[in-house]
Structures are given as C-alpha cells and as structure tokens.
Amino acid sequence: MGVKNSLQAFVVLLYMSCCSSFYLPGLAPVSFCREGNSTDNCKSRIELFVNRLDSVESVLPYEYDAFDFCKDENERRPSENLGQVLFGERIESSPYKFYFNKNQTCKMICSKVYQPKVNTQLEFIKKGIQLNYQHHWIVDNMPVTWCYDVEEGQKFCSPGFPIGCAVAPDGRVKDACVISSEFNKKDTFYLFNHVDITITYHSGNGENWDGARLVAARLVPKSYKHPSKDNLNCEAHPMEIPQELTSKLEVIYSYSVTFRENNTIKWASRWDYILESMPHTNIQWFSIMNSLVIVLFLSGMVAMIMLRTLHKDIARYNQIDSSEDAQEEFGWKLVHGDIFRPPKKGMLLSVFLGQGTQIFIMTFITLFLACLGFLSPANRGALMTCSVVLWVLLGTPAGYVSARLYKTFGGEKWKTNVLMTALLCPGIIFADFFVMNIILWEKGSSAAIPFGTLVAILAMWFGISVPLTFLGAYFGFKERSIEHPVRTNQIPRQIPVQSFFTKPLPGIIMGGILPFGCIFIQLFFILNSIWSHQMYYMFGFLFLVFIILLITCSEATILLCYFHLCAEDYHWWWRSFLTSGFTAVYLFIYAVHYFFSKLQITGTASTILYFGYTIIMFLIFFLFTGTIGFFACYWFVKKIYSVVKVD
C-alpha cells in the first residue's frame, strides 16, 4: 500500500507540474520597489550589466574591460549558455547601480588618469572611437537603447551607443559627432564619458502583481570635461582627447538617472518600441509576395508537366503493343533501363545527403521553436544553443539516410561510409572554425572561444553525435536496399549529344536562380543581424520563407530533371543535388557583394574572419538545399517510372 500511495502521489504531483503556468527561461518578470520596501518578490536595487563592444567596421568584438572603462569592484558574470559563448557575448556586472524610483544627477562613477608618455590603454580607446565601437548595456534583461531622429521625422532606437566620436584633420565630422555642434575641433577625439539614463516603469496599479516593472530603458551619451572629482559639471565643454597627448589627462565618468511612470506600456510588450523603430516590415511582405509568385509559377509548370505532358506520354506509352511502335519510343521512356543506375562517387553523395538531412531537421525544429517564442531576442544565445544541441542529437537520421542510400547504390565499404558521415562535413566546419578562433585569440577578441568550450564541443561531437551516427547507420545497413520500379540494364545506354540548355553546367546554374530569388531579401536582414549588429526578430517571416524555399527548390529541380530526362540524359543523381545546391553559390556571391557594398570593414583579420564564417554558412546551406532538391527529384523519378509498363 505504501508503494501504491507513493506512486499515486507522484502521478498527482506530475499532473500538477504539467498544468501549472510557466515563463520561458530568462523571461520571467521582476518587480521593483522603493528602497526600504524590498521583499523576496520585489527588489529595490537595479543593476546595469555590460556586454561586449562591437563595431560595423570590424569583425572583432572586445570585452568591456579591454577599453579601461570603470569596473565593478565586485565584478561577477551571469551564467552564460553555449550560444552566448559561441556568439562571443561576455556579460558582466558594472559599477552603474541605482535604486528604483530614486533620481540622481551627475553622479561620478570613477576617474582614469593617462600620462603623456606612450599609453596603450588610451591608444586602444582612440582606436575604438575611430572604428566606431558600440557599448551594449542591459537593465532587467532588456537592452538600454539610444533613440535618435533619422530621416522623414522617424525615430530609430539602437541597442548600442558609441564610445565616442572623432573629427578628422580636414574638419570632417564623423559618426556620432553630428549630434552636437560643440564637436568641431579638428583632429580630435571626443569621449562619451557621461550618460543620461531614463528608465520607464509600469507602476502595477490595477494589476495582479506587487511592485513596479521596468518597461523601457533609454540613454543619451554625453561628453563633459568635469573640472574635478569634487566639482562635477554636467554642462561643461566636451571631453577632448587630442591626437598627441602632451600633458596629463584625467577622464571622469559620470551618469544621471531619471525614472518615469507609464502605465500604458505593458511588460509583455516592452520590446515593441525597439522593434517598431526597425524598418523593413513592408519590404518583408513584398519579399513574401514575390516569393509566392515564383512558387505559383513553378507549381503551374510542374502541374502542367504532371497533368498534361507526362500523363499524355504515359497513356501513349502504355497503349503501345506492337514492336514496330515500340521502336518509335523517345524521350524519358527510353532511359528506363538506366535511370536507377548507381551514380559515380556514390559514397560522397550519400554522405552529403546524410548530413543534409541532419541540417534540414535541425533547421526546421529550430525555426518552429523560434516562431513559438522560445528563441526570442530576450533569451540570449538560445537560438545557437538550440541549433547546436539539435545537431548533436540528430546524428541518428544522418547515419540512417547515408547508410541506406549507400547500400542502395551497391556500396560495400560501410565502415568508410559511417566514418565519413560522422566526420567529413563537421570536420571541415570545425577546422574552419578553429582557424578563425586562432585569429580571434591572437587579436584578444571576446569572440574567441575558451579552450574549455572547444573541448566541450568536441566531447559533444565525438561522445554523442558520432555514436548516434553509428547507431543510425546500423539500422540503415540492416534494412533492405530501396526497391526501384524498373530494372537496370547491364550495359549503359549511350547519351545523345545534348543541346546547350540540357548540358549539366547550364542546367545547374539556372536551377539555383529561382530559389535564391525567394530568399535574397530575407538574407539581407540576416546578414545585417550578424555583421551590422541589428536585432533579428522576424522568425515568422523566416519560417514562411523557409517553407517557400523548400517548395521552390523541389519544383525547380523536378522541372529541370524532367527536361534532362526528355533529352535522354539519365545522370540525374548528382545533377538533382547540385541543381538546388547551387543556390548556395549565389548566396556566397551575394555575401561578397554585401561585404564590399554594405560594410565598412577594414583590416586583414576582419576580412579573413568574414569570409571564413561565410564559407561555413555556404557549406551548411549547400548541403541543406542540395538535399531538398535530391529527395524531391528522387520522389519524382520513382513516381513517373512506377506507372510505366516495361517489357
């Protein structure tokens, strides 16, 4: 009876835990009260955290401490997930601490003194100003934004603000120096050593929770040359850093904070003012409509082939009884004895398809979870963490698909197949990633992955992914070979001379144009989020474009595959993979165009890093799109030859 009661109690507790409400990890609201009224559920102290500093002119991010800013005496780092480490985020506590609803004006944080002799720290700050490095601050898991006016009276809220600005020797004002006419001295750097912080809160009146909740955090960077530590002046002239330091320079950092009540903004929608200031929603809808038109066009073409041309051909072929008529056969029917002849380099093709299947499932699940809100920008690093964990756990389908296809191709080197599936593509990506990491280590960048994390990634790869790949391959080789609807002749049929458009290379090049046309606008925003440090949140659009990409790759590959079969060219295995996989080549070309036309990246290291990471993106996208096209074409070929009568 005791065991039975314990089991019943466990079931009840499990049921209660399943039915209770929950917040997504890292997204639970925090209530704040005035100083002296704090409780376990209501805090009075507000902490400001700082993240890495980055720039649109350099791929190298740096930690906050690298620039000799004010440090927290009791510095601590919140726990970071795998995605944050891989993205190079380095969040740490700061000396900016204040109490809820307690306004403060021109309060000093710390001071730094630089001597006229060679000072590497000051030179590093000046280099950061020259490359327009940006602060990224966080309050209550929400970015502290800098909102400023742009063209047509619109306001743009950036999740970062610059270290400072500079005026060139010729008097040309650069970057943020345009915000004030006081920044006018030639060949001079101006340091933003003061911030006016405004925190907006919802008081909680009429709500079912105690205390107030923060709904916005904005700041305005300022530059003041304070007379001394004991005599701060937040209306003084800007803090100038000359090109050549001839005397002692003292930099005093300060801040002001103001609290404002606004009960019209709900806590759940506190990110809206940041996202709404980012344009391009209309462009997104235009991209979707453009992609849908392409899909409808391809669907009409495929439907015409399937319902009219193909149906007519099958009916005519199946009505042939006399041998004289049989000699008049032409087109795709003539190659039925060679259509399922194993391809050359079948081992490599099966490995690519196994890895492509793994990437496809990983991408689908990740985007689906992102649409549900589990991978929102507020949950930092969750997107990359989810992708890496899913990839590691999906070794089984990769091994199964690779082994099953390799066995169908008549391959016998099963050990080599399994090892290549588990190690080839991940090994290329890891080698590229490791080389990039060496460059980041040498430059002292915060994006450099710690050695312990690299060991952890290798442990996940060899300890989880590789065994799961072997398990999937075991079941794949255990299954029977895939049966095909027609037999393969012993002697290969000679392929007639092909026209220009039915030759392999032109067909492959044409095959990637339409899928790329469906994604290139979305690709622009993705590249902006990666290299221009803009916030990406339109996962609904991205998932819709993902589905459109699947359909477009499938239909374009089927269409070209049918044309090639009609030209009596039965080498469709590799061609179907490369036709849709060539979309990745257009992606790489667009990334090159983006680098030279949109970015202002300078320096050899940053250029190598950009193209190194672009190659990783190219390889993943090549495997992904190639696999889609292959399986679509494989289904199409089996479908049409399964209804043809073969004597």
Side-chain angles (χ1 to χ4, degrees):
M1 287 295 292
V3 174
K4 183 177 180 181
N5 292 336
S6 300
L7 183 61
Q8 290 176 344
F10 174 75
V11 171
V12 171
L13 289 173
L14 182 63
Y15 175 79
M16 291 174 63
S17 65
C18 293
C19 295
S20 60
S21 61
F22 67 95
Y23 286 99
L24 299 180
L27 303 181
V30 178
S31 298
F32 292 91
C33 304
R34 288 180 177 272
E35 186 180 3
N37 298 330
S38 59
T39 61
D40 293 339
N41 299 323
C42 192
K43 302 194 307 183
S44 61
R45 193 179 189 187
I46 299 176
E47 291 192 74
L48 189 149
F49 289 88
V50 293
N51 202 343
R52 65 176 185 177
L53 286 84
D54 52 36
S55 169
V56 295
E57 299 182 28
S58 175
V59 179
L60 301 168
Y62 291 98
E63 291 195 45
Y64 181 81
D65 293 343
F67 287 92
D68 194 36
F69 296 130
C70 299
K71 297 181 181 180
D72 188 8
E73 294 180 357
N74 301 315
E75 184 177 286
R76 60 187 181 87
R77 295 178 180 268
S79 58
E80 296 173 337
N81 56 45
L82 179 61
Q84 288 178 287
V85 176
L86 293 178
F87 269 128
E89 291 195 15
R90 298 293 184 268
I91 300 176
E92 59 188 68
S93 59
S94 77
Y96 296 86
K97 305 178 190 297
F98 24 83
Y99 289 92
F100 174 73
N101 219 4
K102 183 178 180 181
N103 297 337
Q104 294 189 358
T105 304
C106 209
K107 182 176 180 180
M108 190 185 81
I109 293 294
C110 74
S111 67
K112 299 287 182 177
V113 178
Y114 303 100
Q115 300 298 333
K117 295 181 180 181
V118 177
N119 196 309
T120 55
Q121 292 178 325
L122 185 61
E123 290 299 320
F124 195 70
I125 292 177
K126 289 161 64 176
K127 182 180 178 181
I129 294 175
Q130 195 167 14
L131 292 175
N132 196 26
Y133 269 82
Q134 306 272 319
H135 286 278
H136 294 280
W137 291 2
I138 302 167
V139 167
D140 190 29
N141 199 37
M142 182 174 52
V144 183
T145 58
W146 176 37
C147 298
Y148 53 90
D149 294 328
V150 291
E151 63 272 4
E152 298 180 0
Q154 295 182 344
K155 187 176 286 293
F156 178 77
C157 291
S158 170
F161 66 96
I163 295 175
C165 63
V167 178
D170 59 359
R172 182 169 51 91
V173 178
K174 297 175 62 179
D175 302 321
C177 279
V178 299
I179 64 177
S180 175
S181 59
E182 292 186 323
F183 303 132
N184 53 20
K185 192 173 182 179
K186 295 181 180 180
D187 201 18
T188 303
F189 295 91
Y190 293 94
L191 179 66
F192 292 141
N193 61 329
H194 177 89
V195 287
D196 288 333
I197 304 173
T198 302
I199 296 179
T200 307
Y201 63 92
H202 189 295
S203 65
N205 293 334
E207 303 290 343
N208 58 353
W209 35 267
D210 297 328
R213 291 180 179 177
L214 308 187
V215 293
R218 296 183 175 92
L219 62 74
V220 178
K222 300 287 183 67
S223 178
Y224 297 128
K225 185 174 178 57
H226 299 292
S228 66
K229 297 180 184 179
D230 301 324
N231 183 23
L232 300 184
N233 183 3
C234 286
E235 295 181 356
H237 295 294
M239 181 70 231
E240 299 177 359
I241 301 178
Q243 190 68 251
E244 295 293 336
L245 193 61
T246 57
S247 60
K248 185 180 74 172
L249 177 69
E250 183 179 23
V251 179
I252 300 175
Y253 291 89
S254 59
Y255 76 94
S256 300
V257 61
T258 304
F259 288 85
R260 292 179 180 174
E261 179 180 341
N262 188 340
N263 294 334
T264 61
I265 304 176
K266 301 296 183 181
W267 184 88
S269 58
R270 63 179 185 162
W271 285 69
D272 289 358
Y273 81 96
I274 307 173
L275 306 182
E276 288 172 0
S277 70
M278 296 182 180
H280 319 314
T281 303
N282 293 333
I283 298 177
Q284 290 283 346
W285 280 115
F286 171 77
S287 171
I288 298 296
M289 297 304 298
N290 176 58
S291 302
L292 287 175
V293 169
I294 295 175
V295 168
L296 291 175
F297 168 74
L298 287 175
S299 299
M301 293 289 290
V302 173
M304 183 180 69
I305 291 173
M306 297 290 289
L307 299 179
R308 296 185 59 186
T309 309
L310 199 56
H311 179 73
K312 183 179 179 181
D313 287 347
I314 292 173
R316 181 165 57 84
Y317 287 141
N318 289 341
Q319 290 173 1
I320 294 176
D321 296 324
S322 64
S323 58
E324 296 180 359
D325 292 335
Q327 293 177 359
E328 298 177 0
E329 294 176 357
F330 63 92
W332 56 272
K333 174 66 184 297
L334 289 176
V335 297
H336 66 78
D338 298 280
I339 192 66
F340 291 108
R341 186 176 301 281
K344 297 180 180 179
K345 307 292 183 182
M347 168 83 78
L348 185 61
L349 180 59
S350 63
V351 169
F352 282 174
L353 292 170
Q355 283 294 323
T357 303
Q358 187 176 10
I359 293 170
F360 167 73
I361 300 174
M362 174 200 74
T363 306
F364 180 83
I365 296 176
T366 301
L367 290 180
F368 182 74
L369 292 176
C371 287
L372 296 180
F374 286 91
L375 309 178
S376 69
N379 201 0
R380 293 176 176 81
L383 185 70
M384 179 60 77
T385 303
C386 178
S387 299
V388 172
V389 171
L390 283 174
W391 181 86
V392 169
L393 297 178
L394 289 171
T396 302
Y400 178 83
V401 170
S402 178
R404 190 82 191 277
L405 288 172
Y406 182 64
K407 186 176 182 181
T408 302
F409 295 157
E412 298 178 352
K413 299 179 180 179
W414 64 271
K415 294 180 181 178
T416 306
N417 174 261
V418 177
L419 287 173
M420 288 185 66
T421 304
L423 302 178
L424 179 62
C425 296
I428 294 173
I429 292 175
F430 184 82
D432 188 328
F433 184 76
F434 185 73
V435 171
M436 299 301 105
N437 205 49
I438 291 176
I439 297 175
L440 293 170
W441 269 339
E442 194 274 330
K443 293 294 183 179
S445 172
S446 66
I449 308 301
F451 180 75
T453 304
L454 285 177
V455 173
I457 293 174
L458 288 174
M460 293 171 64
W461 178 14
F462 287 100
I464 302 176
S465 180
V466 172
L468 289 177
T469 304
F470 274 79
L471 180 65
Y474 169 78
F475 288 107
F477 282 114
K478 191 176 180 181
E479 295 278 349
R480 293 187 303 170
S481 299
I482 302 174
E483 295 183 1
H484 296 138
V486 291
R487 295 189 300 271
T488 302
N489 296 334
Q490 292 184 354
I491 302 175
R493 180 184 179 86
Q494 185 176 359
I495 299 174
V497 178
Q498 300 290 302
S499 65
F500 175 78
F501 293 103
T502 56
K503 289 182 179 179
L505 189 58
I508 290 171
I509 293 174
M510 290 187 296
I513 294 176
L514 290 178
F516 178 75
C518 295
I519 65 167
F520 82 95
I521 294 181
Q522 194 70 225
L523 180 62
F524 170 76
F525 296 117
I526 293 174
L527 292 178
N528 273 349
S529 67
I530 297 174
W531 303 114
S532 296
H533 313 296
Q534 296 184 9
M535 196 173 297
Y536 190 88
Y537 63 96
M538 296 173 286
F539 293 108
F541 282 114
L542 186 59
F543 188 74
L544 186 56
V545 170
F546 171 79
I547 300 299
I548 292 174
L549 177 64
L550 297 183
I551 299 172
T552 309
C553 284
S554 302
E555 292 179 340
T557 308
I558 289 173
L559 199 62
L560 290 170
C561 179
Y562 176 73
F563 291 153
H564 296 145
L565 294 180
C566 288
E568 301 178 25
D569 186 352
Y570 52 83
H571 294 305
W572 64 273
W573 298 95
W574 271 107
R575 184 175 294 184
S576 62
F577 183 86
L578 295 175
T579 297
S580 56
F582 203 80
T583 308
V585 177
Y586 290 109
L587 180 146
F588 185 83
I589 295 173
Y590 183 82
V592 174
H593 164 74
Y594 181 86
F595 176 81
F596 288 106
S597 64
K598 302 295 182 182
L599 298 180
Q600 300 103 25
I601 290 178
T602 58
T604 304
S606 293
T607 303
I608 294 174
L609 288 169
Y610 178 87
F611 285 103
Y613 289 127
T614 301
I615 289 173
I616 294 177
M617 188 188 307
F618 160 79
L619 179 58
I620 293 174
F621 198 72
F622 172 72
L623 295 173
F624 167 68
T625 52
T627 301
I628 295 170
F630 175 86
F631 282 113
C633 193
Y634 187 48
W635 168 85
F636 173 75
V637 171
K638 288 191 68 175
K639 195 73 174 177
I640 62 175
Y641 284 96
S642 63
V643 295
V644 175
K645 294 180 180 178
V646 179
D647 297 331

